[in-house]
Amino acid sequence: MEYEKSELPPYSAVAVPDWRRRWSPRRSRGVRFIALACLAFIVYAQWRQIEPRPMRGATSQLSIEKLNEDLQMCAKLRSKPQDPIGLGRERNARYINGHKPTLIKNATIWVGEPAEGTSVDGARAGKGFSWISADVLLEYGLIKEVRKDIDASSLSSDVIVWDAKGRRLTSGIIDMHSHAGVDSLPELDGNSDTNEMGSNITPYVRSIDGINVFDHQIQVIKSGGVTTSLILPGSSNNIGGEAFPIKHAVGKLDGRNETSIADLLADPDSNWRYIKMACGENSKRTYGQPGEHGPTSRLGESWEFRHAFEQAAKIRQAQDDWCDIAESAGVESMSTYLPQEIEWETLVAVLRGQVHVNTHCYTVPDLEAFVDHTNEFKFPVRAFHHAHQTFLVPEVLKRAYGDSPPASAIFADNMWYKAEAYIGSEYAGKILYENGLTPIYVSDNPVLNAQHVVFEAAKSFGYGLPYHAALAAVTTAPAERLGLGERIGKVKPGFDADVVVWDSDPLSVGAAPVQVWIDGTAQFDNPVELKKPVTSDSTVVPETLPVTDESKSVGDVVFTGVSKSFLSSDSELDSQGGHLTVAVSGGKITCLGSCEAEIEAATTSGTKIVALKNGYLTKPFTIFGSSLGLNAIDAESDTDNGNGPSIFSRAIDGLAFETKKLFYAQKYGVTKAVSAPKYSGQMTHQGTSVGFRTTGKHSLEKGAVFADDAAVHYTLDLHAKSGSTSISNAVNTLRHKLLETIDTNATAAADPFTEAAYLAKVVSGTLPLAITAHSADVIAAVLKVKQFVDGAITATSRGASTGGISLVIIGGAESHLIADELAEAGVAGVVLSPLLPYRTGWDQRRALTGAPLTNGTAVDRLAAAGVRVAVGIDEDWQVRDLGLLAGVAYRNGGGLLSERDALALVSDNVYGMLGLEEKEEGERGDGWAEFVVFEGSPLEIGARVRAVGSGLGDEITLYT
């Protein structure tokens, strides 16, 4: 047989053993005939056993009752759910008898849809949307009326009248990706029920079977205006199991009759079902064991999906065949029951279009592979979750099976935490929307605190997504994707009475609910209300904000229209009319004021003049305690400096420049960072930190490093037990090291880079001691160590020359509990990392979450006690948010902080607690070389960085 040399031989060309060739043709034909006959018999026998068929001439021995039940099931199998109605209901199925109606007066309302008559294209462009002044009547768990001047006297005598005082009212926020209840906080081994890891393919498990109704985070989330969350299984499995939407009202205190998981269900009738699937890194990392079982690659994951869908497809076909025969011949003639397998039941329902599919997929190959699966097995996807790269391939999403392409359930700017999250964009929502797709913003709680999921939508507005689409991304869009678009997500008659009154525009920095209603029942008896003025333009819909993404280096430039300058530490230039001018020459500010001569010279020479609207001139931002410069991708060890509980090292020796993290740091005004080596996990520290400029090229570049050794770091949070076996031992070891240093003259050591040599600088007061700790108890123990060691230092001959240990606390979730003690001890400062903790660990369980649950947060208590405070970040992606976090402290501080104070949280206060003030001030030379020019307040949503002076070279970066 001939075949091309470049081809593999066909199966028929494979050589056969010689003994077969020696058989006679006649004998060979006889054997083949017998073999074919046997094969035909086997196929027939199998068909007789497997195929459902009527019984001819015999009576079925099966239960007629069960067969009839199966026949009734046929109709259910073939039915497709419809989105449940809203308007037309007399009462909400979740309504509790006896609850009084509520009339909310004088509200400024976001209905959630455009005015009647607006075209589809016009609505997508934002036309017809507005804030309206009206009243809202809540009764029987429903929104009954939305109109002006509802007369309370015309209603039942028991109506509760609540005055919104002109504040903004929206529907309840909907978080379409949460693990609240199954990943309870604080995180404990016994409470973790996010993933069923007995197998990779687990469509048969359900999140509802693991929801902890006593998870305090359910209440914390509600305090951010979230009324409905889709509780998903985790993403370790390619097919993780069923998900369930819940409402955040638990037990009698929240107006319910019982405390149960069943009572949490947002749709008690379960019109739709939901399932979680996941592509990418997680499954192959979790289950892949080379040589034993997979998947070990994305290739293997696709097979896992296809194999599972194949099993479900076979069962579906067997069911359809059974139903066809039973309906035509009668159940009495059936020899088998309806084929059903609980292991595959959910996946069969997926193929029947009865389950909304939500799939965790980041990358282009994952997205494209899953889109192929949808078309091969003919099922739609409601949303791709995380979906970092969907903005790059909108056309791929549009090829997915079904009438509507999947939405993208994303973060605003959380990325770089693993390889598949390395490619992403803060402009993803904007780009998706411009391509006719649907962005939805989610928390993945506890990855992000779902209390602030509306902040994700606010940031997306700042990144260029139209205002109406940003609000829709946490209200109407997730409601529609849940199949509940006629019940939740809008403020209209017939919708569930889930509404929120806000203290300010929900898409503004620090917005917090004044009150939350779920099914018409107010959720907070005595909520903390932040005093914020109602703006006169509260009914105006803000315009879509421009974005800045292109940059160039320039030496000379002039900025006009600057309203405020915060460059000088002792004075503030404030021009409400925006009449200040900033002239830059040779990369330095040479004039700040009217600068008439500089403007004239620039006009003559053709130097670029940038006209700003409400310009702000500030010092650059500085981050203390992150892994910037020591890590590029959090989960990838090759991109990380490394760690070791038994190792004391210098960060400067592992410093790496020109990473994506550092590029974005500069883009958002962060030109300096102080980073320490890791002790073990993320946000742990041990060794000496390095102060460096994020725009540097390498550590030898002049000015790239401004502090070789900024502080000595140790970790005393829960990670401390990995190296010291106990917190008490870790504290005692620290005490022992400090006392031992006092007893020995380590300053004279031959090697000045040893741990002992650096501790000598600590006890001499020339180098700060930075302790990473969250627990108030641990911080108190550290203060006792400081007190004892300070006393020992005083007793020595050098005691008079030092004021004792300069102590800095990093973390500080519970520091508010000992704010006065921290002030009395004279600590150098507290770096709150994060600014708004939410009890993720046991040592953070007493953290303050803010209004409406608590009166203030840690920053308020510490500042009021006179403790110097800085804002840090607990994950590097937050480099974009540093100014906004300072803005939260400013807006929600009740006047405690001025704008200058807020900006100092991310600049001057860092240098103050590290003792670097003189160095920082002295770097100005003959002009300011380090500065940031913003258009708009950097403390507010929508501010744009227009220029960054990094202090390196004779040029600045100009953003256009």
Side-chain angles (χ1 to χ4, degrees), residues 655-668:
L655 192 57
F657 289 89
E658 295 192 322
T659 65
K660 186 180 285 191
K661 290 181 178 182
L662 297 182
F663 170 82
Y664 279 94
Q666 178 195 9
K667 181 180 176 181
Y668 286 88

Side-chain angles (χ1 to χ4, degrees), residues 24-336:
S24 69
R26 178 173 295 181
R27 187 173 183 183
S28 178
R29 285 196 297 271
V31 171
R32 283 200 296 271
F33 176 78
I34 295 172
L36 287 172
C38 290
L39 179 62
F41 176 77
I42 291 170
V43 170
Y44 173 76
Q46 290 295 320
W47 177 80
R48 293 284 295 174
Q49 291 177 10
I50 295 174
E51 290 298 309
R53 62 193 184 281
M55 296 287 292
R56 301 186 184 278
T59 303
S60 172
Q61 300 300 308
L62 302 179
S63 166
I64 295 300
E65 182 180 359
K66 175 67 170 65
L67 289 168
N68 280 319
E69 290 176 357
D70 285 353
L71 184 59
Q72 293 175 5
M73 177 62 71
C74 290
K76 184 177 180 180
L77 291 176
R78 289 170 172 169
S79 67
K80 185 172 180 179
Q82 300 296 316
D83 291 359
I85 64 165
L87 192 63
R89 294 180 294 166
E90 291 298 319
R91 55 193 287 152
N92 185 338
R94 287 178 46 85
Y95 173 70
I96 303 297
N97 288 331
H99 282 211
K100 299 176 181 179
T102 297
L103 175 62
I104 303 174
K105 298 284 291 182
N106 306 315
T108 303
I109 301 169
W110 185 263
V111 174
E113 66 180 25
E116 188 175 352
T118 306
S119 69
V120 173
D121 290 342
R124 190 158 185 90
K127 295 179 180 179
F129 287 92
S130 65
W131 289 93
I132 64 171
S133 298
D135 304 335
V136 181
L137 176 63
L138 313 178
E139 189 174 23
Y140 298 120
L142 300 174
I143 298 172
K144 288 291 189 177
E145 289 188 81
V146 180
R147 61 179 175 85
K148 283 189 174 183
D149 303 322
I150 299 177
D151 185 1
S153 64
S154 67
L155 305 174
S156 61
S157 59
D158 62 347
V159 66
I160 300 170
V161 179
W162 198 93
D163 188 1
K165 301 176 182 177
R167 298 199 183 277
R168 309 203 187 216
L169 182 150
T170 69
S171 75
I173 301 301
I174 302 165
D175 185 3
M176 197 175 165
H177 188 134
S178 180
H179 304 293
V182 293
D183 198 350
S184 300
L185 300 182
E187 293 180 340
L188 299 171
D189 290 341
N191 285 345
S192 180
D193 291 298
T194 316
N195 296 282
E196 171 47 53
M197 299 176 71
S199 174
N200 179 37
I201 304 297
T202 58
Y204 44 83
V205 303
R206 310 180 304 174
S207 67
I208 195 174
D209 295 322
I211 294 176
N212 174 13
V213 296
F214 300 112
D215 180 6
H216 181 66
Q217 185 67 3
I218 293 174
Q219 300 297 328
V220 172
I221 292 169
K222 178 171 60 184
S223 75
V226 178
T227 55
T228 302
S229 294
L230 180 62
I231 307 303
L232 295 155
S235 56
S236 289
N237 302 29
N238 284 141
I239 300 181
E242 283 201 63
F244 291 81
I246 68 166
K247 290 196 179 182
H248 288 258
V250 184
K252 294 186 181 298
L253 291 178
D254 291 349
R256 310 303 299 169
N257 274 350
E258 61 180 75
T259 301
S260 68
I261 300 172
D263 192 61
L264 290 176
L265 295 180
D267 178 18
D269 299 326
S270 298
N271 288 277
W272 282 104
R273 296 167 66 185
Y274 311 86
I275 192 170
K276 168 72 174 295
M277 301 185 189
C279 319
E281 288 186 36
N282 290 5
S283 179
K284 64 193 185 92
R285 284 177 182 266
T286 303
Y287 295 101
Q289 295 293 329
E292 297 181 19
H293 53 77
T296 63
S297 67
R298 285 178 164 84
L299 288 67
E301 288 187 13
S302 278
W303 182 88
E304 295 267 348
F305 279 122
R306 297 178 71 217
H307 180 65
F309 293 137
E310 181 186 45
Q311 305 311 304
K314 288 178 179 178
I315 295 172
R316 180 186 62 177
Q317 186 62 57
Q319 290 175 339
D320 290 345
D321 291 344
W322 190 97
C323 292
D324 288 343
I325 295 173
E327 288 169 351
S328 61
V331 296
E332 297 84 357
S333 61
M334 300 304 294
S335 63
T336 65

Side-chain angles (χ1 to χ4, degrees), residues 540-615:
V540 176
V541 178
E543 295 180 359
T544 302
L545 297 171
V547 298
T548 300
D549 208 30
E550 296 183 1
S551 65
K552 62 180 179 179
S553 296
V554 299
D556 301 337
V557 64
V558 174
F559 297 95
T560 63
V562 175
S563 299
K564 292 185 178 182
S565 169
F566 295 91
L567 278 189
S568 175
S569 296
D570 53 6
S571 65
E572 173 184 328
L573 291 175
D574 187 344
S575 173
Q576 294 297 335
H579 299 311
L580 292 175
T581 295
V582 177
V584 177
S585 179
K588 294 183 179 181
I589 294 176
T590 55
C591 180
L592 174 58
S594 60
C595 304
E596 295 175 357
E598 284 77 5
I599 293 176
E600 183 178 352
T603 303
T604 302
S605 65
T607 297
K608 187 172 183 62
I609 299 176
V610 179
L612 301 174
K613 183 179 180 181
N614 189 30

